[in-house]
């Protein structure tokens, strides 16, 4: 039921955002977003050593709320591998505010909601009346709240152009296990939006 509710929310957000679009402005909707992601199970800006160990990839797109690049809704799917805590697939949407820094350089502040399906790194077990029973590497779904900051470069062009960026994402995952209802994750992202 929770998955259906999240899917309906994401679908409704996409439809509303697309209907609110204007043809004027300096943003071309639905660029292809490609990124390399580095996953870590840690608090923000803590334990930086494993930050670049667990690699993943992200694909997504975005639409503008006001026809400009400074206020957009982003939709993304990320796959990451992590041998220590298990890999996962993350589907999320974030509202992004991009204030200009200088010329075509910008900063980003992101906040959103998403769904994470995380797998166990090794076989799991559950207690039964006859001892422990193996349940395999089957994973579980969790609601996540992603928040991020970043920097990028976007020189608006009439033709196809590339807009590189770097982001640091902090995610709070709910329902991780009974002893830890909230678990922090971090994602370091390097990528580009390709505007066609």
């Amino acid at each position: 039921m929770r998955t259906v509710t999240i899917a309906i929310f994401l679908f409704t957000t996409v439809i509303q955002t697309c209907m609110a679009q204007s043809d004027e402005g300096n943003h071309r909707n639905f660029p292809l977003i490609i990124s390399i992601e580095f996953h870590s199970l840690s608090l923000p800006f803590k334990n930086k050593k494993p930050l670049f160990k667990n690699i993943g990839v992200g694909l997504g797109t975005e639409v503008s709320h006001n026809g400009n690049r400074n206020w957009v809704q982003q939709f993304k799917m990320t796959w990451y591998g992590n041998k220590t805590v298990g890999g996962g697939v993350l589907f999320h949407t974030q509202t992004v505010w991009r204030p200009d820094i200088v010329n075509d350089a910008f900063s980003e502040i992101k906040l959103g909601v998403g769904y994470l399906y995380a797998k166990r790194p090794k076989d799991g077990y559950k207690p039964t009346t006859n001892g422990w029973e193996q349940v395999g590497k089957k994973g579980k779904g969790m609601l996540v709240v992603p928040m991020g900051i970043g920097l990028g470069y976007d020189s608006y062009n009439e033709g196809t152009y590339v807009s590189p960026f770097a982001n640091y994402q902090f995610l709070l995952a709910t329902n991780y296990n009974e002893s830890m209802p909230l678990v922090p994750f971090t994602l370091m992202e390097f990528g580009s939006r390709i505007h066609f």
Side-chain angles (χ1 to χ4, degrees), residues 99-118:
D100 289 333
I101 299 174
V102 61
N103 294 331
D104 294 323
F106 61 84
S107 59
E108 286 188 330
I109 299 172
K110 302 179 171 192
L111 180 63
V113 65
Y115 180 79
L116 172 66
Y117 182 79

Side-chain angles (χ1 to χ4, degrees), residues 71-89:
W71 194 244
V72 299
Q73 191 71 33
Q74 203 168 77
F75 305 92
K76 201 165 177 195
M77 179 188 79
T78 302
W79 170 88
Y80 65 85
N82 191 322
K83 290 181 182 177
T84 307
V85 297
V89 179

Side-chain angles (χ1 to χ4, degrees), residues 16 48 50 57 64 67 76 96 108-109 125 134 138 140 152 156 159 189:
Q16 287 177 341
K48 297 175 198 88
V57 292
S64 174
K76 201 165 177 195
V96 183
E108 286 188 330
I109 299 172
Y125 294 86
Q134 186 176 13
K138 164 175 96 166
K140 69 185 295 185
Y156 182 75
E189 306 174 328

